[in-house]
Amino acid sequence: MHYFRVKEDNSSVYTGHVEGSHKWGLPGIRNCPACKATWGTDTRAYPSVDLSPVATLADFEEPRAEPIEEYERLCELVRPFLPPGALLQPGAALGPLVGRAQGRFGPLVAPSSWALLVQHEALQKLQAEGLRGLNGCRTQLRFRQRNSPELLELELPPIGRLHPDCLPLNRKPPCPRCGRRGLTRPDDMLLDAATLPCHLDLFRLEDFSTVIVCTERFVDACRRLGLHGVTFQPLPMK
């Protein structure tokens, strides 16, 4: 099996633009007691999550950093609502994508390097091809045009890692308290074959969540069906 990185197609004729954020999110961590870092990132998202039953919903509406004890408390409140295999991190995004959209959209849309949207009809075609693990979640995007498309956000489980051979030799281990790794993504990525899933055709890396990975099955189906809007960059593995 060959793998590819999914990226925005900057040469595309499509002019669609999305501006938004997810409805809820976990706070970042302020001054971790072990590594002293203040950090958080929304590059890991679970758009299928519905937190509306949570009584203290306001705790998840404002982006901010909190002491690690408060972050861990809030993690436990959302854990029952997460999809199978979900992994939380400080700043993780939850719930539907909310915002504005305008322009001409292709079948596939990458509003950022770590998010992937798909038009409803295109998702149905991909699922009919037997591709595995494609969960399209409704968005709450407001369009400034008539005949607006129905854009769904694909939920991308974090699984798979980069091979140690492409990472710095003098790298520090993750913080034992908050899990922060503090590594910059290498330009020349090498996938760790032993960590890649056998049951998914689309996912994001666990250790570098800005990287969306797909199988050659996904690439072949998109090309055969004429589903444009993204590019596919081959990723070697070891």
Side-chain angles (χ1 to χ4, degrees):
M1 179 67 70
H2 295 94
Y3 292 86
F4 298 79
R5 184 183 182 188
V6 183
K7 299 180 67 177
E8 178 185 7
D9 184 2
N10 292 319
S11 65
S12 173
V13 297
Y14 299 110
T15 61
H17 174 72
V18 174
E19 181 180 346
S21 60
H22 291 87
K23 192 168 187 176
W24 304 295
L26 287 171
I29 290 175
R30 183 173 69 242
N31 297 330
C32 169
C35 69
K36 310 305 179 185
T38 294
W39 70 285
T41 172
D42 64 354
T43 57
R44 191 175 290 177
Y46 299 104
S48 69
V49 169
D50 180 9
L51 290 187
S52 54
V54 177
T56 56
L57 202 54
D59 288 339
F60 303 96
E61 294 175 346
E62 180 183 354
R64 66 197 186 283
E66 295 279 8
I68 194 168
E69 294 81 7
E70 174 66 0
Y71 163 75
E72 292 171 339
R73 182 185 75 84
L74 295 177
C75 282
E76 294 310 307
L77 289 180
V78 306
R79 210 173 293 280
F81 303 97
L82 297 176
L87 299 174
L88 294 176
Q89 67 180 12
L94 306 166
L97 182 64
V98 181
R100 297 176 296 180
Q102 62 179 342
R104 180 169 175 252
F105 290 91
L108 298 170
V109 182
S112 66
S113 64
W114 56 87
L116 185 60
L117 309 182
V118 60
Q119 293 203 36
H120 185 265
E121 183 180 357
L123 177 59
Q124 290 181 320
K125 291 179 178 179
L126 290 170
Q127 291 172 332
E129 291 287 317
L131 294 178
R132 302 158 299 179
L134 301 186
N135 180 23
C137 303
R138 292 188 179 278
T139 60
Q140 295 180 8
L141 296 173
R142 303 184 305 276
F143 288 84
R144 299 178 177 178
Q145 63 208 48
R146 295 180 179 179
N147 302 320
S148 58
E150 182 182 359
L151 291 180
L152 305 174
E153 182 175 7
L154 290 169
E155 192 161 66
L156 305 169
I159 187 169
R161 306 176 71 88
L162 292 185
H163 197 280
D165 285 358
C166 71
L167 300 175
L169 293 175
N170 60 346
R171 63 186 180 278
K172 296 180 180 179
C175 173
R177 187 71 173 90
C178 71
R180 184 175 182 270
R181 303 177 75 238
L183 286 177
T184 301
R185 179 183 57 78
D187 292 330
D188 297 320
M189 291 183 287
L190 179 66
L191 298 177
D192 187 343
T195 68
L196 300 177
C198 299
H199 62 292
L200 297 173
D201 285 304
L202 187 70
F203 53 96
R204 74 170 76 250
L205 291 184
E206 176 186 338
D207 51 353
F208 290 92
S209 53
T210 60
V211 179
I212 300 174
V213 179
C214 71
T215 63
E216 61 185 323
R217 282 165 43 89
F218 185 88
V219 175
D220 290 344
C222 288
R223 289 173 175 168
R224 186 170 58 255
L225 296 168
L227 304 181
H228 306 295
V230 299
T231 62
F232 302 105
Q233 173 188 340
L235 288 174
M237 61 180 177
K238 181 178 179 180

